[in-house]
Amino acid sequence: MPALLFPSVATVFDSADSLPQNVWSAFKSDPLHSNIIYSHALKATHDSDQVTDDQVWIVCTTDDKLDFVLSCTHHAMGTYPVFLYSAHPTRELIPAFVLPRIQLLVDKLRESVDVERVYSVFAVDVVTRAFSEMWSKATQIRCYKEPYYAAKFTFCTRQSFKARQYTTFPGISYELRLAVPSDIRAAAKLCYGFAAAAKPFVLTKEEAIEEATLLVSREQLWVHSIQDGNCTPEIASIVAVTRESASVAAITKVFTNPDWRSRRCAERLVRKVTQSRKENVVLYVAHDNPAASKVYNRVGFVGLDESSLSVDGVESWLELGFDRNKVQLGHW
């Protein structure tokens, strides 16, 4: 007698507080790969201003076993892309498994939000491609072939971290620390520079100041101050550390003033931040940014050494965007 097939089900929730226990259990058991959605859900449960009508969470299960979680939420600087997390290892995400479940999520999301709200999607490659194709078909809004972001997800643990003495230069002094309010103007210039290289998610100078102010107020921005002799100290590099859970933090922004590049400022600050935060630190590094990959590899982020074998858990993620003439672009 053939085995009974359990149908997959997609359920919509309007707040993180209402997410079922099996979702939280999956997040806690896989805090690295669930970092984006898990940290956003945690923040939403703690911040009353995050619990609003335009927060959408969709959970896909099969026989009460979690398959996918989709989030379509916002933050202080605007709206987020659609994020998708799978409770299954990437190697198990074959088309026969992915396609029918993503179709359920697309159908529910189409019922829950205006089509212009969905400006991009970010997930592991196979999931992003499936969602973008189905969403375009459902809404008749085309998806750009050129990715907004194509990156490798990597992580650094206490075991993989590589301690190293700072490289010093004669007459140059450094200070690595959390940013303070007096740093906002200088840090905002670097936030602006970072965004300028992340099209289409650029910032105006006023928005860069707003972002820097927010990061400093939340103690999420680190700075590398540098002084050449008796000159006035300058902020050479910034690192933003956000999306935190009990054991994981994410580095979400690294940028060095072009005047201070080739002095290992970014490496110095990333190492300091990685050592100072949680047991595990995660980040995404663009496939077309080998210089950044080398920096993170020297700190201890795994799977970035081209000569080494692939590392379990290091994955390729993809952000695809939809026709900007028909959607409302957010920021992240």
Side-chain angles (χ1 to χ4, degrees), residues 22 52 64 91 116 140 145 150 172 174 195 203 214 246 251 259 270 303-304 321 323 327:
N22 65 336
T52 61
D64 292 329
R91 63 180 177 274
E116 59 266 23
Q140 298 301 300
K145 293 182 179 179
I172 302 293
Y174 309 127
L203 295 173
L214 187 67
I251 288 177
D259 294 338
V270 168
L304 301 179
D323 188 347
V327 300

Side-chain angles (χ1 to χ4, degrees), residues 176-240:
L176 315 179
R177 56 176 173 78
L178 273 172
V180 296
S182 59
D183 296 320
I184 289 174
R185 288 284 173 178
K189 293 180 181 179
L190 301 190
C191 289
Y192 178 84
F194 178 88
K199 295 179 180 179
F201 304 111
V202 297
L203 295 173
T204 65
K205 292 182 179 180
E206 291 73 19
E207 288 169 337
I209 291 173
E210 180 184 355
E211 181 179 62
T213 300
L214 187 67
L215 290 169
V216 171
S217 69
R218 293 176 174 175
E219 298 187 343
Q220 294 177 328
L221 191 69
W222 288 69
V223 297
H224 183 311
S225 177
I226 193 166
Q227 184 173 14
D228 187 352
N230 294 323
C231 296
T232 303
E234 297 182 52
I235 293 179
S237 292
I238 58 170
V239 170

Side-chain angles (χ1 to χ4, degrees), residues 119-135:
Y119 62 86
S120 72
V121 55
F122 188 52
V124 294
D125 289 4
V126 63
V127 174
T128 289
R129 294 194 184 281
F131 179 92
S132 60
E133 182 176 339
M134 291 180 180
W135 184 257

Side-chain angles (χ1 to χ4, degrees), residues 50-207:
Q50 292 287 311
V51 184
T52 61
D53 292 339
D54 55 356
Q55 304 277 335
V56 175
W57 308 79
I58 308 177
V59 175
C60 180
T61 58
T62 304
D63 190 25
D64 292 329
K65 295 180 181 178
L66 183 66
D67 294 326
F68 289 99
V69 181
L70 177 152
S71 69
C72 185
T73 63
H74 70 87
H75 60 118
M77 293 291 294
T79 56
Y80 282 123
V82 166
F83 294 122
L84 283 148
Y85 162 71
S86 176
H88 298 265
T90 302
R91 63 180 177 274
E92 296 180 6
L93 299 181
I94 61 175
F97 176 87
V98 171
L99 298 180
R101 291 165 173 82
I102 296 300
Q103 186 64 64
L104 289 174
L105 294 172
V106 165
D107 292 344
K108 288 294 184 181
L109 186 62
R110 181 69 181 85
E111 296 171 0
S112 303
V113 301
D114 294 331
V115 294
E116 59 266 23
R117 166 61 184 85
V118 178
Y119 62 86
S120 72
V121 55
F122 188 52
V124 294
D125 289 4
V126 63
V127 174
T128 289
R129 294 194 184 281
F131 179 92
S132 60
E133 182 176 339
M134 291 180 180
W135 184 257
S136 289
K137 185 176 180 180
T139 63
Q140 298 301 300
I141 298 177
R142 70 185 178 98
C143 177
Y144 295 117
K145 293 182 179 179
E146 188 69 21
Y148 282 169
Y149 191 42
K152 182 176 285 188
F153 169 85
T154 178
F155 52 89
C156 183
T157 67
R158 294 291 187 222
Q159 291 71 37
S160 69
F161 178 78
K162 300 174 184 177
R164 176 176 175 169
Q165 284 190 323
Y166 296 148
T167 302
T168 59
F169 296 89
I172 302 293
S173 58
Y174 309 127
E175 186 180 15
L176 315 179
R177 56 176 173 78
L178 273 172
V180 296
S182 59
D183 296 320
I184 289 174
R185 288 284 173 178
K189 293 180 181 179
L190 301 190
C191 289
Y192 178 84
F194 178 88
K199 295 179 180 179
F201 304 111
V202 297
L203 295 173
T204 65
K205 292 182 179 180
E206 291 73 19
E207 288 169 337

